[in-house]
Amino acid sequence: MNDRLIPWVLPFTVFLLWFLSSEMEIVPLYLFPHPFEVAQSGWSYIFGKIGDEPYAGRFVYDLAASCTRISLGFGLAVMTALPLGLMSGRNRFVHRLLGTSVDGLRAVPGITWLPLAMVWFGIGIKTTVFLVGMAAFFPIYLNSATGAREVDPLLLQAGAMMGVNRFNAVFRILIPAAMPSIVTGLRLGLGISWAYLVLGELTGVPNGLGAIIMDARMVGRTDIIVVGIFLVSVIGRLSDLLLKLLLRFCFKNAL
Amino acid sequence: MNDRLIPWVLPFTVFLLWFLSSEMEIVPLYLFPHPFEVAQSGWSYIFGKIGDEPYAGRFVYDLAASCTRISLGFGLAVMTALPLGLMSGRNRFVHRLLGTSVDGLRAVPGITWLPLAMVWFGIGIKTTVFLVGMAAFFPIYLNSATGAREVDPLLLQAGAMMGVNRFNAVFRILIPAAMPSIVTGLRLGLGISWAYLVLGELTGVPNGLGAIIMDARMVGRTDIIVVGIFLVSVIGRLSDLLLKLLLRFCFKNAL
Amino acid sequence: MLCDKNVFLGVENLGKQFPGNGTPLTVLENINFEAEDGEVISIVGRSGCGKSTLLKILAGFLKPDSGSVFFKGSRVHRPGPDRCVVFQEDALFPWLTAGENIAFGLKRQIRDGSRIEREVDRFLDLMGLSQFRDYLPREISGGMKQRVALARVLILNPEILLMDEPFAALDAQTREEMQELLLELWGQFSHTIVFVTHDVGEAVAISDRVIVMDKNPGRIKDVINIELERPRRREDVNFMRFYSRLYKLLRD
Amino acid sequence: MLCDKNVFLGVENLGKQFPGNGTPLTVLENINFEAEDGEVISIVGRSGCGKSTLLKILAGFLKPDSGSVFFKGSRVHRPGPDRCVVFQEDALFPWLTAGENIAFGLKRQIRDGSRIEREVDRFLDLMGLSQFRDYLPREISGGMKQRVALARVLILNPEILLMDEPFAALDAQTREEMQELLLELWGQFSHTIVFVTHDVGEAVAISDRVIVMDKNPGRIKDVINIELERPRRREDVNFMRFYSRLYKLLRD
Amino acid sequence: LSGSGFILSGFGFILNGSGFILNGYAFADQNSDSSQGKVISCKIGTWKTAQTIQPFFYDKFVPRGLKTEVLHFTNPGDQKTALLAGELDMCGTTLAHAIHSASRGQPVVVVAALCNKCSALVAREGGDLSTVSDLKGKKIGYVPGTMHEILLRETLVRNGLSPERDVLLTRVDFFDMGMALAGKGIDAFLSGEPFPSLAVLKGYGKIISYPYYGESIGTINAGMLVRKETIKENPQLVHDLVLAHAMATRYLLANQKEWLEKSSTFGVPLDVLEKAASNMELAWEMDELFISQARALGERMEALGVIKKQPDYESLFNLEFVEKVKKELE
Ligand SMILES: Nc1ncnc2c1ncn2[C@@H]1O[C@H](COP(=O)(O)OP(=O)(O)OP(=O)(O)O)[C@@H](O)[C@H]1O
Ligand SMILES: Nc1ncnc2c1ncn2[C@@H]1O[C@H](COP(=O)(O)OP(=O)(O)OP(=O)(O)O)[C@@H](O)[C@H]1O
Ligand SMILES: [Mg+2]
Ligand SMILES: [Mg+2]
């Protein structure tokens, strides 16, 4: 089989099953929409003229808004989780200081932060960015800690001997050497950022892919929800590829 | 400073800040409750008599219910994500087959699965378990794939030469050798299982820690939400420790 | 030539290529030799001449591109506990103690826990490792690790022992001790041994026969029978003679 | 004895212990020696006698428990590019190509890109690695790796070169080539070299002085001056004499 | 609070530190004296549903110099938190939520009604359920702590069924009710529009009862909420908003087509809304009857244990603005 086709086997199978079960009405159509109906809603959402239908034509604006929020939230998470994770992987004191707290907080449902975030940051983009960042924080933190812990001390010694100071050692040695783990963390973090976008856009922002999914849920528009799932997974996959590309560009041994 | 105290520095600092800002009413008490009020609500929730107050005494039942659901969901995730992740780490075909789909689905918000899950599984524990398992799937999958990919082929050859068949090699060599990554994945997965519990318990189940948090949110009981955050983080941390202990017991080189 | 069914280990017209950048790299070409039961054969050659590759084919880890390996009359397809390898690199399981590493292969063969215990004890004793039974690999020195690696395959009582520069990372004294230990064990168990080394002295000290390999492509340059009584002494004139002869062969 | 300010490298009453299980393990005890500028000193001793530990203290990676190391009159505290180490293990940065590994240290010292390029080219050439500039460490053979490791410190023009069994994993021929290369470079740059080895031949071949160490605890057993003209030939009778003398010293 | 500290304060620090970028519009708009001629804007919170649509029309009716920005929520709890945090000047709320909040001593005041009715008890189409009493032994979906829970219990009790013993109440999120019913997870639910109409039109549900009982809770449903301090500090603003609310309500009642069309831009098909329209009553007026119905609601809530004590209804409901506006409009 052509190698480039393999990734499409699974999505295609799912589509086929869905199509057949819709055609044969195994599941009633009011419960789960027909693929063509979903395709139509999707088309209208992406290419329609604003005002024609409830969700028509909003896609570009939603995408732009969501991408901004994701970039900010994910960026914030990287900026905090990566240094803290690396430190906690290399330094017993930081590990003990943060470990318990982070491990506890990891388990806290994102949605419970919403009321608190609203008190701290008000409604609007700051709360959104906080929630998205919060979600991405943990996988990045934990994976970079694992990565940093397992860096061969010999490499750090070699660096020190060649005149790398402690600060530079982080960028020149620690991060490249821990890269496979960090990449896993970043990819998980980016994925979960998208997944938590709905929470971030639940309240107080007028647009965004998360907002539209929640709107559709509120009015029971399953077709739009499926469109949302589809779009978010495509965009999520694209952003994952982008991240990988970027990392491969910056660090040769990253995957 | 006493080593055993370090992990408590942060929680204590936060508590102090909270206490002081409550005492000085920097944030109005009706907006964010006083720690004592939260303590009282927590006490009533845990030790109160059922019926005394809205949430009194429900804790043990909620805990038992949630723990069951978490165990089932997390167990399901481990049983699917671990083998798939290991396979995709070792086998290019599986990797190509699953990679794109999994990376796309990772980005899909948990809540959008709810309508679909209800169509597939009806309401009740099956849907809850599915959602919890879905959340835990991705970190376990991705981390065990990373771990498996980086196992030294020499160890597998050594095993084959000593008469380990392919099936046994997974348990005797692949898993132990990939353990540090797998542990990170399992810990992230367990954490996120707890975090997704609220979603799982949003619909169709009568009790549980997630259910109570969502009920409290619906009626705006910030004190109960804070109690929920506290309990979930403590229980999350405990389950994390339990997991680590279990893994250390089973595999010596795991952390 | 069809390999004679009565030959213990037969290597026939073996060839192996690796896909290089563009043109495939011929690593082994037209390798032929036979080994009798209980013989010690050394393979010497410069770095990169394909010694490890040959050994991996003998073990069944790699498939040759042409020719084949026969073991007791049947073709070698896959690895198995009758042809055990002591690797060039450290290949102990880092999560198992010395004792558990030694028991590992045996557990695949027999279920009887107490018999496994006894066997492990015996081999720990033989290797002088009794004290270190419960140490993890990272807690013991390089020489000890190699002894564990040797013990974990000897305990399986393999018919052929394939050793890939097992003592290269050891200091001269430890290395000689290990050579003596190996010969002692060989005296007891009389396995067939195929021993890869780049140390000419080592080859002369332990082998019945030394196969000298050429590089680019890897093929057999010469085979030398070491007709020396055991135990051999390095100070011996005959030892020196073989040593110089091999040394010169390799140099050219 | 207070270390004479004029001594190039001075080691004084050095002692080092590691916390063992319960009782601390004394690894080094009362180590004293001096090295002149441009001298080649070898340290030989059995596995575990503390050679690597001593070298790490000289490099500044480890703190001694007693005594101190003086370098050009001041105490050694931390690692630095004036005292470079070629490690026993492979310590190249796996994510950098051969060329980038060699350029790594130099980039910390100078900013001028084209000068770095030129220097790297020069050292690649010197090491016979020009072809392999853009290869990652995992794509080149063991001998090449050690040459890159040597080049990446030589390019920094360190005053002392600390080498921890750098050629142990190489085959005899490659090893001798590397020894010759080292001496050639030493002829050009005349660094001071402290060379740890367990190969007695190697020690005799390259050193002005050989320090023989004892084990448990590690201390200096003897110091032998190798009064042989360079280039030295292994077939030489005097070479053999020093070889046997050292060999016996180690054996006892 | 288990060590949320470092990360939270770290996040907080960075978020607030970069406030210049992110703030943009967040704090630019606290009310000042509207007589100064410059445009001030205020924020209103509401749901994106047909029955709570009035705030989207305020801009047509507010005096010059005042601008409104509408933020939409899915949950009354979040809305109230935003109000209390000063992020909103006014927001919609269900009366049950307002009573709950006031009984906990929070400084909120209901200044106008928002809508009435909007509830319905729905059973599965084609099933053997046709009256409330058929519900015996069935599984009914509800959302704990809401108006609809109270109404459901009221309905059951009035039909001689014990909510504890005779039926099985099941927690289901609002938005999942339809799915749960269609998927046979539950046999009936009591929920707000448009879900009942949606169920009917899609063909999996039928309405078996509207839970309105004039002599007790009646048809009251939701109101507009402000902070106490807003009334004290800026009564003019509250007045302007209530006036706009009243005029918007009257306008929409008079122009049902526009109401439903605007509503359908929120995502619900127009035919569903048309079907639901008769069960949705936009409102703004409040009177003593309204308050007494709210009292009845409060009593049910206390009996159920949702609240521990009754709120002070006098300060929870402020009829002043409604009465003044009523005069002005006449
Ligand atoms: N997996 C592989 N892919 C491509 N080339 C390989 C592979 N394995 C080995 N080679 C090449 O085959 C040649 C022989 O390698 P091999 O490891 O057999 O040499 P060797 O004789 O064992 O050397 P040494 O003494 O250094 O261990 C080398 O040129 C090497 O680069
Ligand atoms: N970090 C450490 N912690 C505890 N013990 C150590 C540590 N490093 C070395 N040792 C012990 O110190 C002793 C000397 O070790 P060292 O590595 O210096 O020996 P060596 O002479 O370099 O041996 P080799 O020739 O095998 O490299 C050994 O017994 C070793 O177990
Ligand atoms: Mg080899
Ligand atoms: Mg050493």
Side-chain angles (χ1 to χ4, degrees):
Chain A
M1 188 163 35
N2 188 321
D3 200 47
R4 301 195 65 78
L5 288 182
I6 301 175
W8 303 109
V9 170
L10 222 53
F12 184 75
T13 315
V14 171
F15 177 82
L16 206 71
L17 284 176
W18 176 23
F19 180 79
L20 289 178
S21 76
S22 293
E23 283 290 313
M24 293 153 65
E25 299 212 28
I26 293 173
V27 173
L29 284 183
Y30 56 78
L31 209 52
F32 201 86
H34 193 286
F36 292 167
E37 189 195 335
V38 170
Q40 215 168 17
S41 306
W43 179 270
S44 145
Y45 175 56
I46 299 176
F47 302 107
K49 216 173 110 266
I50 290 187
D52 278 359
E53 274 181 78
Y55 297 99
R58 285 181 46 179
F59 176 64
V60 259
Y61 306 101
D62 286 341
L63 182 66
S66 290
C67 282
T68 314
R69 291 173 196 139
I70 289 281
S71 322
L72 288 173
F74 182 65
L76 188 68
V78 174
M79 270 158 42
T80 49
L82 200 60
L84 288 178
L86 292 174
M87 272 157 70
S88 121
R90 297 296 321 167
N91 184 316
R92 233 186 79 78
F93 177 77
V94 178
H95 176 68
R96 283 196 69 79
L97 186 69
L98 294 180
T100 302
S101 300
V102 169
D103 288 338
L105 288 184
R106 273 195 299 125
V108 173
I111 194 138
T112 56
W113 294 117
L114 189 53
L116 307 195
M118 266 174 13
V119 172
W120 293 325
F121 305 116
I123 48 183
I125 191 162
K126 280 197 286 184
T127 294
T128 311
V129 168
F130 169 79
L131 289 171
V132 170
M134 194 78 180
F137 181 91
F138 300 110
I140 302 178
Y141 173 88
L142 216 61
N143 274 293
S144 41
T146 305
R149 191 165 36 245
E150 281 172 18
V151 168
D152 190 345
L154 211 59
L155 296 181
L156 293 168
Q157 290 183 349
M161 136 202 126
M162 286 190 283
V164 180
N165 60 31
R166 284 179 142 249
F167 179 76
N168 271 327
V170 173
F171 295 95
R172 302 276 164 208
I173 303 169
L174 193 59
I175 294 184
M179 208 17 89
S181 262
I182 295 178
V183 170
T184 304
L186 290 177
R187 291 180 60 200
L188 274 170
L190 187 59
I192 205 143
S193 287
W194 281 102
Y196 265 60
L197 187 65
V198 285
L199 274 189
E201 296 182 343
L202 196 57
T203 280
V205 295
N207 51 10
L209 290 168
I212 205 149
I213 287 175
M214 286 316 275
D215 283 1
R217 178 168 144 74
M218 197 158 94
V219 297
R221 283 282 298 268
T222 316
D223 55 331
I224 293 289
I225 293 184
V226 176
V227 169
I229 290 188
F230 180 75
L231 287 176
V232 170
S233 59
V234 168
I235 296 163
R237 172 69 180 147
L238 286 180
S239 67
D240 188 52
L241 284 178
L242 206 74
L243 181 75
K244 271 207 248 180
L245 227 70
L246 198 80
L247 287 168
R248 198 171 303 174
F249 179 76
C250 298
F251 302 93
K252 279 189 210 99
N253 81 330
L255 277 189
Chain B
M1 188 163 39
N2 189 321
D3 202 47
R4 301 195 66 76
L5 288 181
I6 300 176
W8 303 108
V9 170
L10 272 182
F12 184 74
T13 314
V14 172
F15 177 80
L16 206 71
L17 282 177
W18 178 23
F19 180 78
L20 288 179
S21 75
S22 294
E23 283 291 311
M24 292 152 66
E25 300 212 29
I26 293 172
V27 173
L29 284 181
Y30 55 76
L31 202 56
F32 201 88
H34 192 286
F36 292 167
E37 190 195 334
V38 171
Q40 213 168 17
S41 306
W43 179 270
S44 146
Y45 175 55
I46 300 175
F47 301 108
K49 215 172 112 264
I50 289 185
D52 276 359
E53 274 181 80
Y55 298 100
R58 285 179 46 177
F59 176 65
V60 260
Y61 308 100
D62 286 342
L63 182 66
S66 289
C67 282
T68 314
R69 292 171 197 141
I70 289 281
S71 323
L72 289 173
F74 182 65
L76 190 69
V78 173
M79 271 158 42
T80 50
L82 201 59
L84 287 179
L86 292 175
M87 271 157 71
S88 122
R90 298 294 324 166
N91 184 316
R92 233 186 79 78
F93 178 77
V94 178
H95 176 69
R96 283 197 71 78
L97 186 69
L98 294 180
T100 301
S101 302
V102 170
D103 287 337
L105 290 183
R106 273 194 300 125
V108 174
I111 193 134
T112 57
W113 292 117
L114 192 51
L116 308 194
M118 271 170 28
V119 172
W120 295 326
F121 306 115
I123 61 173
I125 189 158
K126 277 195 284 185
T127 294
T128 310
V129 167
F130 169 78
L131 288 172
V132 169
M134 193 80 179
F137 181 89
F138 300 110
I140 302 178
Y141 173 88
L142 216 59
N143 274 293
S144 42
T146 304
R149 191 164 39 243
E150 283 173 17
V151 168
D152 190 346
L154 211 60
L155 297 181
L156 294 168
Q157 291 184 348
M161 135 203 128
M162 286 189 285
V164 180
N165 59 32
R166 283 180 143 250
F167 178 76
N168 271 329
V170 173
F171 294 94
R172 301 276 165 210
I173 302 170
L174 193 59
I175 293 183
M179 208 19 88
S181 262
I182 295 178
V183 170
T184 303
L186 290 177
R187 292 179 60 201
L188 273 170
L190 187 59
I192 204 143
S193 288
W194 280 104
Y196 266 59
L197 187 65
V198 285
L199 274 189
E201 294 182 345
L202 195 58
T203 280
V205 296
N207 52 8
L209 290 169
I212 204 151
I213 286 175
M214 288 314 272
D215 287 358
R217 183 168 116 82
M218 186 57 87
V219 298
R221 281 285 298 268
T222 316
D223 57 330
I224 293 289
I225 293 183
V226 175
V227 169
I229 290 186
F230 179 77
L231 288 176
V232 171
S233 59
V234 168
I235 296 163
R237 172 69 181 145
L238 287 179
S239 67
D240 187 52
L241 284 177
L242 205 75
L243 181 75
K244 271 206 249 181
L245 226 70
L246 198 80
L247 287 168
R248 199 171 302 174
F249 178 77
C250 298
F251 303 94
K252 277 187 213 104
N253 82 330
L255 277 190
Chain C
M1 166 190 107
L2 198 84
C3 205
D4 184 352
K5 290 277 173 190
N6 295 324
V7 163
F8 188 70
L9 177 75
V11 174
E12 203 178 285
N13 282 327
L14 213 62
K16 178 77 191 170
Q17 305 193 322
F18 279 116
N21 281 333
T23 53
L25 177 73
T26 303
V27 174
L28 293 176
E29 199 179 79
N30 196 28
I31 303 282
N32 287 286
F33 69 90
E34 291 178 1
E36 284 163 36
D37 195 358
E39 205 178 5
V40 179
I41 294 186
S42 282
I43 301 176
V44 297
R46 300 206 51 175
S47 184
C49 72
K51 306 184 295 292
S52 296
T53 308
L54 177 55
L55 214 70
K56 280 181 187 159
I57 294 174
L58 294 182
F61 296 141
L62 280 179
K63 300 245 164 303
D65 290 320
S66 62
S68 39
V69 176
F70 288 91
F71 176 56
K72 298 211 287 188
S74 61
R75 236 194 171 98
V76 162
H77 287 295
R78 65 172 74 85
D82 48 355
R83 281 159 290 120
C84 276
V85 183
V86 178
F87 291 92
Q88 183 168 9
E89 306 91 346
D90 170 30
L92 296 180
F93 300 123
W95 57 91
L96 299 179
T97 62
E100 289 166 343
N101 262 295
I102 295 173
F104 187 91
L106 204 57
K107 278 195 189 153
R108 308 278 87 69
Q109 298 185 347
I110 55 179
R111 292 265 152 262
D112 178 356
S114 67
R115 209 180 116 207
I116 294 174
E117 287 298 290
R118 257 179 321 193
E119 281 289 285
V120 170
D121 281 340
R122 192 175 132 230
F123 275 86
L124 280 166
D125 200 42
L126 212 59
M127 296 288 169
L129 289 170
S130 299
Q131 271 185 279
F132 298 94
R133 181 184 192 121
D134 295 328
Y135 282 56
L136 288 175
R138 62 169 169 272
E139 294 167 349
I140 59 181
S141 83
M144 292 179 189
K145 276 190 220 175
Q146 283 300 350
R147 274 182 274 172
V148 175
L150 190 55
R152 76 168 175 181
V153 299
L154 284 180
I155 204 172
L156 300 178
N157 200 16
E159 303 191 66
I160 300 189
L161 207 54
L162 304 166
M163 305 181 78
D164 193 358
E165 312 195 14
F167 308 142
L170 306 179
D171 66 293
Q173 292 89 322
T174 313
R175 180 189 291 214
E176 276 172 35
E177 285 166 20
M178 289 296 290
Q179 287 163 8
E180 278 156 29
L181 178 65
L182 178 68
L183 287 175
E184 209 174 281
L185 293 167
W186 175 74
Q188 277 183 46
F189 300 102
S190 59
H191 322 93
T192 309
I193 299 179
V194 179
F195 194 99
V196 167
T197 180
H198 56 236
D199 180 335
V200 173
E202 190 165 70
V204 178
I206 62 166
S207 330
D208 295 319
R209 216 150 30 114
V210 178
I211 296 177
V212 182
M213 282 183 68
D214 218 354
K215 198 176 159 180
N216 288 336
R219 51 182 141 190
I220 296 182
K221 194 196 236 172
D222 210 341
V223 178
I224 295 181
N225 291 312
I226 311 287
E227 285 136 352
L228 288 174
E229 285 297 303
R230 291 194 168 89
R232 296 171 182 167
R233 301 194 59 239
R234 273 159 212 262
E235 294 81 9
D236 194 29
V237 202
N238 286 324
F239 192 104
M240 292 283 195
R241 229 188 55 227
F242 279 109
Y243 184 97
S244 323
R245 194 170 145 206
L246 270 175
Y247 196 85
K248 282 208 195 83
L249 253 173
L250 273 173
R251 258 275 151 107
D252 303 336
Chain D
M1 164 191 108
L2 196 83
C3 205
D4 184 352
K5 290 278 172 189
N6 295 323
V7 162
F8 187 70
L9 177 75
V11 174
E12 203 180 287
N13 284 325
L14 214 61
K16 177 77 191 170
Q17 306 192 324
F18 279 116
N21 282 332
T23 52
L25 176 73
T26 303
V27 174
L28 293 177
E29 200 178 76
N30 196 27
I31 304 284
N32 287 287
F33 69 89
E34 291 177 3
E36 284 163 36
D37 194 358
E39 206 179 3
V40 179
I41 294 186
S42 282
I43 301 176
V44 299
R46 297 206 54 174
S47 187
C49 73
K51 304 184 295 294
S52 296
T53 307
L54 176 56
L55 215 68
K56 280 180 187 158
I57 294 174
L58 293 183
F61 297 140
L62 281 179
K63 300 242 164 305
D65 290 320
S66 62
S68 38
V69 177
F70 289 89
F71 175 55
K72 297 210 289 184
S74 62
R75 237 193 170 99
V76 164
H77 286 295
R78 64 174 74 86
D82 49 354
R83 280 159 290 117
C84 276
V85 184
V86 179
F87 291 91
Q88 184 167 9
E89 306 91 348
D90 169 29
L92 295 180
F93 300 124
W95 58 90
L96 298 180
T97 62
E100 289 166 342
N101 262 295
I102 296 175
F104 187 90
L106 204 57
K107 279 194 188 154
R108 308 277 87 69
Q109 298 186 347
I110 55 178
R111 291 264 152 261
D112 177 357
S114 68
R115 210 180 114 207
I116 295 175
E117 285 298 290
R118 258 175 313 170
E119 281 289 284
V120 170
D121 281 339
R122 192 176 132 232
F123 274 86
L124 279 166
D125 200 43
L126 211 60
M127 296 289 170
L129 288 169
S130 300
Q131 271 185 279
F132 298 94
R133 181 185 191 120
D134 296 327
Y135 282 57
L136 288 175
R138 63 170 168 270
E139 295 167 349
I140 58 181
S141 84
M144 291 179 190
K145 276 191 222 175
Q146 284 301 349
R147 274 181 274 170
V148 175
L150 191 55
R152 76 167 174 181
V153 299
L154 284 180
I155 203 173
L156 301 178
N157 200 16
E159 302 192 65
I160 301 188
L161 208 52
L162 304 166
M163 305 180 79
D164 194 357
E165 313 196 12
F167 309 142
L170 306 179
D171 66 292
Q173 292 90 322
T174 314
R175 181 189 290 213
E176 279 172 33
E177 284 165 19
M178 289 295 291
Q179 287 163 8
E180 278 155 31
L181 178 65
L182 179 68
L183 287 175
E184 210 173 281
L185 293 167
W186 175 76
Q188 275 182 47
F189 301 100
S190 58
H191 323 92
T192 307
I193 299 179
V194 179
F195 195 99
V196 167
T197 180
H198 57 238
D199 180 335
V200 173
E202 191 166 69
V204 178
I206 62 166
S207 330
D208 295 320
R209 217 147 32 113
V210 178
I211 296 176
V212 183
M213 282 182 69
D214 219 355
K215 198 175 158 180
N216 287 336
R219 50 183 143 192
I220 296 182
K221 194 194 236 173
D222 209 340
V223 178
I224 295 181
N225 290 312
I226 312 288
E227 287 135 349
L228 288 174
E229 284 298 302
R230 291 194 167 92
R232 296 172 182 166
R233 301 195 60 239
R234 273 159 212 262
E235 294 82 9
D236 193 30
V237 201
N238 285 322
F239 191 105
M240 292 283 197
R241 231 189 52 225
F242 278 110
Y243 184 95
S244 324
R245 195 170 145 206
L246 269 175
Y247 196 86
K248 282 208 193 83
L249 254 172
L250 273 172
R251 259 274 150 108
D252 302 336
Chain E
L1 177 62
S2 159
S4 37
F6 205 48
I7 304 146
L8 290 190
S9 48
F11 272 30
F13 183 74
I14 293 173
L15 279 174
N16 283 321
S18 58
F20 290 117
I21 311 159
L22 294 180
N23 252 351
Y25 50 84
F27 293 117
D29 44 54
Q30 287 310 306
N31 350 304
S32 59
D33 196 357
S34 56
S35 65
Q36 283 179 347
K38 65 176 189 223
V39 175
I40 60 163
S41 86
C42 59
K43 289 188 179 161
I44 318 290
T46 189
W47 296 264
K48 266 178 148 181
T49 59
Q51 60 266 44
T52 59
I53 199 173
Q54 294 99 314
F56 290 94
F57 289 83
Y58 283 4
D59 261 352
K60 276 191 172 162
F61 305 105
V62 288
R64 275 151 60 89
L66 188 62
K67 264 188 61 60
T68 57
E69 183 190 338
V70 181
L71 297 172
H72 52 269
F73 292 76
T74 57
N75 172 310
D78 293 345
Q79 244 176 120
K80 189 204 62 198
T81 306
L83 180 81
L84 289 177
E87 293 290 320
L88 298 174
D89 297 291
M90 185 189 245
C91 70
T93 181
T94 67
L95 291 172
H97 197 87
I99 290 169
H100 190 272
S101 172
S103 91
R104 296 186 59 77
Q106 296 172 348
V108 290
V109 182
V110 177
V111 291
L114 176 59
C115 63
N116 299 328
K117 308 219 275 194
C118 302
S119 289
L121 180 59
V122 182
R124 198 171 37 255
E125 177 64 54
D128 49 359
L129 292 172
S130 51
T131 63
V132 178
S133 25
D134 293 340
L135 285 173
K136 195 169 165 67
K138 301 290 184 192
K139 223 171 167 181
I140 310 175
Y142 80 115
V143 186
T146 59
M147 289 285 304
H148 303 287
E149 181 189 3
I150 317 289
L151 295 175
L152 174 60
R153 288 173 185 270
E154 180 89 10
T155 305
L156 291 172
V157 171
R158 279 171 184 271
N159 286 276
L161 296 172
S162 156
E164 277 73 38
R165 274 172 280 112
D166 295 334
V167 295
L168 193 64
L169 295 187
T170 306
R171 293 177 68 261
V172 178
D173 196 34
F174 272 124
F175 319 124
D176 302 323
M177 294 286 188
M179 279 281 172
L181 184 69
K184 302 195 167 78
I186 51 179
D187 301 300
F189 68 78
L190 197 151
S191 166
E193 295 290 356
F195 298 109
S197 301
L198 199 65
V200 173
L201 270 181
K202 287 227 168 173
Y204 57 81
K206 62 178 178 217
I207 292 170
I208 57 173
S209 166
Y210 293 102
Y212 313 131
Y213 308 102
E215 67 275 25
S216 66
I217 303 174
T219 61
I220 58 166
N221 186 329
M224 298 304 292
L225 203 64
V226 298
R227 265 165 290 144
K228 250 191 195 124
E229 87 192 35
T230 313
I231 294 183
K232 213 160 71 215
E233 287 165 8
N234 201 347
Q236 184 59 38
L237 176 71
V238 179
H239 171 266
D240 289 349
L241 290 174
V242 171
L243 180 65
H245 180 70
M247 284 161 56
T249 309
R250 282 157 52 127
Y251 172 78
L252 290 169
L253 286 173
N255 299 284
Q256 173 152 347
K257 190 157 171 292
E258 189 176 345
W259 168 38
L260 295 182
E261 269 166 7
K262 171 76 181 174
S263 304
S264 85
T265 65
F266 298 154
V268 183
L270 202 55
D271 53 342
V272 176
L273 289 172
E274 276 160 358
K275 170 107 183 60
S278 60
N279 189 30
M280 298 187 294
E281 198 175 279
L282 298 184
W284 63 277
E285 278 186 81
M286 297 190 301
D287 50 20
E288 288 304 332
L289 173 64
F290 189 94
I291 296 179
S292 75
Q293 287 175 327
R295 262 181 219 279
L297 177 63
E299 275 154 24
R300 297 291 190 286
M301 287 171 71
E302 189 179 356
L304 274 177
V306 176
I307 55 175
K308 252 200 311 193
K309 64 172 202 290
Q310 291 296 324
D312 176 4
Y313 291 94
E314 298 307 319
S315 65
L316 173 58
F317 293 95
N318 186 332
L319 298 182
E320 214 176 283
F321 296 98
V322 176
E323 277 159 6
K324 189 155 169 245
V325 163
K326 201 167 169 184
K327 279 200 201 89
E328 284 171 19
L329 288 176
E330 273 161 8

